[in-house]
Amino acid sequence: MADNNQKNEKLNKLTPREIVAELDKYIVGQKKAKRAVAVALRNRIRRLKLDPELRDDIAPKNILMIGPTGVGKTEIARRLAKLAGSPFLKVEATKYTEVGYVGRDVESMVRDLMAAGFQMVKQEMQESVEQEAEKRAEEALLDLLLPTNTKKQKDRRPKPGPLVRPMGTFSISPENSNGSIIGTTLQVGIPIFNNKDKGEISDKEAKPDAQDGETADGNKNERDDESFKATREKLRVMLHEGKLDDRPVELTVNQNPTFPMFEMMGGNMEDLESSLSGIAGILGGVSKKKVVTVVRAKEILKAEEAEKLVDRDRVSDEARQRVEETGIIFIDEIDKIAVKGDRGGGPDVSREGVQRDILPIVEGATVNTKWGPVNTDHILFIAAGAFNVSKPSDLIPELQGRFPLRVELDSLGKDDFLRILTEPKNALIKQYTELLGTEEVKLNFTPEAIEHLAALAADVNSKLENIGARRLHTIMEALLEELSFEASDISPANIDITVDYVNEKLAEIVKDQDLGRYIL
């Protein structure tokens, strides 16, 4: 919970300007879109500070992003969710138009978002108990390496109760009987308790005869215990130093029973999954023994201990609250379900049907999940599409009204490509340099070569289909294809990427008018 408080404090300090600055570290340009999502995120923070009565009446202002592919629509939404620590889900609207696809419905996007939120909160809580889980895993691992003798010690301990001793035999001859009864005389001693509440037997009564050798056995047991503890500590030191990492150990792993996969025609697949999960819980896990190394055993035991330390009910409650208050669903390719022209028959009916199914989810509904009901009133929906064939006005009016903020993203040009290659934290030049650096092949890109690559990418986009920044990936792959193949054979080496090198490797592409034969 301390980590959540720190995260909330950090988020509260983020102004819209700072949010845009954070997004600028990974995404080039698109100021309008960044400002829109920054304001939407800040309004969520402001809403949580209001009185509960007014807070429930303020709905999030959903955003519709319009722009060609590869300009950063998905990346903006993904980075925003990561910055806010919000559960995030990306779905494609065309997924719900597949013919014969009856296993999942539109409500599944909310269930998937809840699953993502549950996993996020669970991971955070497991990280908070990581040290305790590691300690328990270490003790369990030492038990595997050196089994304890606790059971034997318990067996040696005298049990409370009357002491019975044989004293001799006796014979009785009953009257009018030719036989006799032979028996044994017993001495019964009543134990003397030092503490009536605890029921402990006095040392004298527990060991009445010192000459029986029991005291010597007790001293021997104590020495065995000391030797056992010393050996255990030596193993602990060796474990910390990594000397036992490759030693095999036999580990018992609990596995949930699995059920065969099948398709369900009609009905709700989520209810079926929940029922099967309940049956699995009743049946219990299946124990399976496996031989693994000490390193792997420690990972398995640590995961099991962390699972035990985390309260699943608490995780469910926290995840459901986080999903309802800060969840973000990104609906991509929404232009593919926009109805063009007159609303006639054919595939348009299916597309409009998907829109009508999405509408109640965006408006606000309660969806049942296996972690409990989830309300979508305050989930932020960000829809995106190229709209190069259809228009936003082709969407049904009710759905248009649920996306009041519309942002048009700009197409990328040479200057944008140049910045994408060099400025972001995950810049392409840096990625390829680090990748080949693992093979001891050092790439040295000259500024002129980088500018030439950006100009080439812009030229290809202008002559063929505009796929935005994704064109840079294909250009870079074509440039370094031969070098990537031979890197293991020529290392170590220093390679200068100059304009001449670019022209040499991409000569055929530059000469050929049909650039699509080589680059997408």
Side-chain angles (χ1 to χ4, degrees):
M1 296 301 293
D3 294 339
N4 291 337
N5 293 334
Q6 292 178 359
K7 186 178 295 184
N8 292 335
E9 291 178 2
K10 181 180 178 181
L11 189 60
N12 289 335
K13 296 179 181 178
L14 280 178
T15 64
R17 193 180 303 278
E18 292 174 342
I19 295 172
V20 172
E22 289 293 326
L23 295 176
D24 284 339
K25 294 179 181 179
Y26 300 95
I27 304 155
V28 171
Q30 314 304 350
K31 293 294 184 183
K32 294 180 181 178
K34 291 176 181 176
R35 289 171 64 94
V37 298
V39 171
L41 179 60
R42 188 62 186 178
N43 282 338
R44 296 186 119 189
I45 301 172
R46 294 164 179 162
R47 173 184 164 273
L48 294 176
K49 298 179 180 180
L50 298 176
D51 294 333
E53 295 182 0
L54 182 59
R55 183 191 308 168
D56 294 338
D57 295 333
I58 298 179
K61 305 302 183 289
N62 298 322
I63 302 171
L64 177 63
M65 294 185 180
I66 306 169
T69 182
V71 295
K73 300 187 295 295
T74 305
E75 191 66 14
I76 287 175
R78 195 186 306 276
R79 292 291 176 182
L80 180 73
K82 188 174 182 180
L83 178 64
S86 302
F88 176 79
L89 178 71
K90 175 184 179 293
V91 297
E92 296 178 357
T94 54
K95 169 183 177 181
Y96 307 107
T97 62
E98 297 177 11
V99 178
Y101 193 80
V102 295
R104 290 283 185 182
D105 53 5
V106 175
E107 291 182 350
S108 66
M109 68 172 70
V110 182
R111 299 190 184 102
D112 293 340
L113 179 66
M114 181 61 195
F118 181 87
Q119 190 62 31
M120 174 187 292
V121 175
K122 179 182 175 182
Q123 185 176 356
E124 291 177 359
M125 290 189 177
Q126 286 182 345
E127 290 176 355
S128 64
V129 297
E130 184 177 3
Q131 294 182 353
E132 180 64 24
E134 191 167 355
K135 290 180 181 178
R136 295 190 179 189
E138 182 178 297
E139 296 299 328
L141 187 56
L142 290 173
D143 291 339
L144 290 175
L145 295 170
L146 185 66
T148 59
N149 56 356
T150 307
K151 185 176 181 181
K152 294 181 180 179
Q153 293 175 354
K154 289 182 178 179
D155 292 340
R156 295 194 188 100
R157 188 178 302 169
K159 298 180 181 179
L163 303 178
V164 180
R165 295 177 179 276
M167 297 183 63
T169 61
F170 64 90
S171 176
I172 301 176
S173 297
E175 296 180 357
N176 302 325
S177 175
N178 294 328
S180 62
I181 300 175
I182 300 175
T184 302
T185 304
L186 304 175
Q187 179 187 19
V188 179
I190 300 176
I192 301 174
F193 297 101
N194 292 331
N195 191 330
K196 295 183 179 179
D197 295 334
K198 297 182 179 180
E200 297 178 354
I201 304 174
S202 66
D203 294 339
K204 183 178 181 181
E205 198 64 37
K207 298 179 181 179
D209 297 326
Q211 64 270 20
D212 291 343
E214 294 180 13
T215 303
D217 291 343
N219 293 335
K220 181 180 179 181
N221 292 337
E222 291 179 1
R223 289 195 299 270
D224 291 343
D225 291 342
E226 293 176 359
S227 176
F228 174 80
K229 292 179 181 178
T231 305
R232 187 180 178 91
E233 292 304 318
K234 289 180 181 178
L235 286 175
R236 191 190 303 274
V237 174
M238 295 174 66
L239 187 64
H240 291 168
E241 293 176 351
K243 296 180 179 179
L244 305 176
D245 289 351
D246 297 330
R247 177 179 294 188
V249 292
E250 188 178 61
L251 190 64
T252 302
V253 182
N254 293 326
Q255 295 179 338
N256 292 329
T258 57
F259 299 93
M261 296 297 296
F262 59 91
E263 294 185 3
M264 183 178 66
M265 303 302 292
N268 193 332
M269 182 64 74
E270 185 70 20
D271 295 338
L272 178 62
E273 290 180 358
S274 180
S275 300
L276 292 179
S277 299
I279 295 174
I282 295 173
L283 295 178
V286 179
S287 297
K288 179 182 178 182
K289 291 186 177 180
K290 56 191 302 185
V291 178
V292 296
T293 61
V294 168
V295 175
R296 179 58 182 157
K298 189 174 182 180
E299 294 176 359
I300 296 174
L301 292 171
K302 183 178 178 181
E304 289 182 354
E305 294 299 333
E307 187 79 21
K308 295 176 184 177
L309 290 170
V310 171
D311 184 2
R312 292 183 67 88
D313 292 335
R314 182 184 170 195
V315 174
S316 299
D317 295 339
E318 174 68 21
R320 186 165 58 250
Q321 181 181 1
R322 191 176 298 188
V323 166
E324 291 181 345
E325 298 294 339
T326 66
I328 299 176
I329 294 181
F330 182 79
I331 306 176
D332 200 7
E333 296 186 357
I334 198 169
D335 58 317
K336 303 299 188 299
I337 63 170
V339 180
K340 302 180 293 295
D342 56 344
R343 293 180 170 85
D348 292 346
V349 175
S350 173
R351 294 173 183 175
E352 185 170 336
V354 173
Q355 293 184 56
R356 295 194 180 279
D357 288 342
I358 293 177
L359 180 61
I361 304 297
V362 179
E363 287 180 335
T366 300
V367 178
N368 291 323
T369 71
K370 59 183 177 182
W371 295 281
V374 176
N375 189 279
T376 66
D377 286 342
H378 301 288
I379 293 178
L380 178 63
F381 291 87
I382 301 177
F387 289 100
N388 49 7
V389 177
S390 59
K391 304 184 297 295
S393 58
D394 291 332
L395 296 168
I396 60 176
E398 297 87 351
L399 192 59
Q400 291 184 48
R402 289 296 169 176
F403 290 91
L405 298 181
R406 297 184 183 181
V407 182
E408 189 168 353
L409 284 80
D410 302 323
S411 298
L412 301 178
K414 174 188 172 182
D415 295 337
D416 297 315
F417 288 145
L418 183 60
R419 295 179 58 193
I420 292 172
L421 286 171
T422 56
E423 288 186 10
K425 281 189 174 182
N426 56 348
L428 283 179
I429 296 294
K430 182 179 180 180
Q431 291 182 24
Y432 283 95
T433 302
E434 295 295 332
L435 280 174
L436 292 177
T438 60
E439 301 278 359
E440 296 185 5
V441 175
K442 185 178 180 181
L443 298 182
N444 303 310
F445 285 84
T446 63
E448 294 79 11
I450 298 176
E451 186 174 357
H452 189 54
L453 288 171
L456 183 59
D459 184 49
V460 174
N461 269 349
S462 64
K463 293 181 179 179
L464 295 176
E465 189 72 26
N466 185 6
I467 60 172
R470 293 186 178 92
R471 186 70 67 184
L472 289 174
H473 289 276
T474 59
I475 289 284
M476 293 295 294
E477 284 294 328
L479 175 68
L480 302 174
E481 179 183 5
E482 183 178 350
L483 188 58
S484 298
F485 184 82
E486 298 177 350
S488 303
D489 301 326
I490 65 175
S491 63
N494 287 331
I495 307 296
D496 294 328
I497 308 298
T498 62
V499 175
D500 294 336
Y501 185 92
V502 172
N503 290 331
E504 178 186 351
K505 297 300 179 183
L506 304 179
E508 297 297 327
I509 299 177
V510 174
K511 291 179 182 178
D512 202 303
Q513 295 298 322
D514 187 9
L515 302 180
R517 289 174 54 190
Y518 298 93
I519 304 182
L520 291 184

